Amino acid sequence: QVQLVESGGGLVQAGGSLRLSCAASGRTFSSYAMGWFRQAPGKEREFVAAISRTGGSTYADSVKGRFTISRDNAKNTVYLQMNSLKPEDTAVYYCAAPGSRLTPTQDMRYKTLYDYWGQGTQVTVSS
């Protein structure tokens, strides 16, 4: 049973930074891609960033240049470093993992590829 536990959310002023962490358990962490998604009130859950098992990353246009995803396979943890935060980044942030290894042609941005989700962590950016 794969379990994902996020931490690191909180309240920050615009322009500030936060680092989210997601601890994974239940299978060989290094063999799978990992993703971060977010959901603001009244909106659909949207892609933020993803990292492949080999370390390649992709980002939503809205966070490119401000957010960085990384992974530490020794700690079974994926991180999301968020800099230059804006009020529109306010959302619940979710860590996600696919149920199987993704092929090179599968786009990590699609949330339908992810079978396991954490409970979410709230990020609030004040103006």
Side-chain angles (χ1 to χ4, degrees):
Q1 181 76 10
V2 175
Q3 291 189 322
L4 304 173
V5 179
E6 303 101 332
S7 60
L11 173 64
V12 64
Q13 289 188 332
S17 298
L18 282 174
R19 187 176 82 154
L20 305 183
S21 300
C22 172
S25 62
R27 66 181 184 185
T28 304
F29 175 78
S30 60
S31 297
Y32 299 89
M34 296 292 294
W36 285 98
F37 292 77
R38 68 186 181 187
Q39 188 167 17
K43 295 188 176 181
E44 290 192 3
R45 192 169 299 187
E46 65 175 5
F47 170 75
V48 176
I51 187 166
S52 71
R53 59 188 180 92
T54 58
S57 58
T58 186
Y59 298 90
D61 288 343
S62 59
V63 307
K64 204 171 292 184
R66 300 188 297 122
F67 291 11
T68 302
I69 189 170
S70 62
R71 64 190 301 159
D72 185 336
N73 291 334
K75 295 182 178 180
N76 291 350
T77 300
V78 62
Y79 303 98
L80 185 67
Q81 177 66 45
M82 306 186 295
N83 299 328
S84 302
L85 283 160
K86 305 175 181 180
E88 52 264 43
D89 294 318
T90 296
V92 177
Y93 283 70
Y94 297 91
C95 172
S100 59
R101 292 184 185 181
L102 301 183
T103 67
T105 58
Q106 288 179 299
D107 192 330
M108 292 189 290
R109 294 173 296 174
Y110 290 109
K111 61 178 180 276
T112 54
L113 295 177
Y114 295 85
D115 298 286
Y116 302 104
W117 296 83
Q119 81 287 354
T121 185
Q122 176 71 46
V123 171
T124 303
V125 184
S126 63
S127 58

